[in-house]
Amino acid sequence: MSLVKEAPVYSNSGTYVGLLQIKWSSGCPGNYARFQSSAGAAQTVALSIQSQVGWKNKAGADEANASTVWTRIIQLNNSSDTVCAYLDATYYGYGKASKAICA
């Protein structure tokens, strides 16, 4: 598993709450999204990854009271295809956090 791209995630109150990552698995091969909270367990986490080529090529996860969340791996039609990861999370005391990254 190797890191493709990552970005810091901040809540709407300005608090740093974690990292959103796009990762590559050479075993399958394909990409997946991962969110690692640094502010304790998030009340809710909605995480998805989607290829920008082929609308059916996507995966998602919805978790409650979670600190680490990841999606299933999606295969790309071509290694140069762009993928995007999307995150929406809520925290007790920190508010909402949203982030999108593409690689």
Side-chain angles (χ1 to χ4, degrees):
M1 315 292 177
S2 61
L3 182 64
V4 175
K5 186 172 186 177
E6 71 179 5
V9 179
Y10 294 89
S11 71
N12 58 358
S13 66
T15 302
Y16 172 76
V17 294
L19 282 174
L20 175 60
Q21 301 174 318
I22 296 174
K23 297 190 104 179
W24 170 261
S25 171
S26 57
C28 286
N31 291 99
Y32 65 99
R34 179 179 182 266
F35 174 63
Q36 177 65 52
S37 175
S38 63
Q43 182 183 357
T44 62
V45 177
L47 179 64
S48 65
I49 189 164
Q50 181 172 341
S51 170
Q52 299 305 294
V53 178
W55 63 272
K56 290 184 178 182
N57 197 5
K58 60 186 175 181
D62 292 310
E63 300 289 337
N65 301 313
S67 301
T68 304
V69 178
W70 56 90
T71 66
R72 293 178 324 177
I73 294 169
I74 61 169
Q75 289 186 303
L76 303 180
N77 294 327
N78 296 299
S79 61
S80 62
D81 290 350
T82 299
V83 296
C84 295
Y86 304 94
L87 170 73
D88 286 305
T90 57
Y91 283 89
Y92 293 112
Y94 299 121
K96 296 180 180 182
S98 296
K99 189 73 176 182
I101 58 174
C102 297

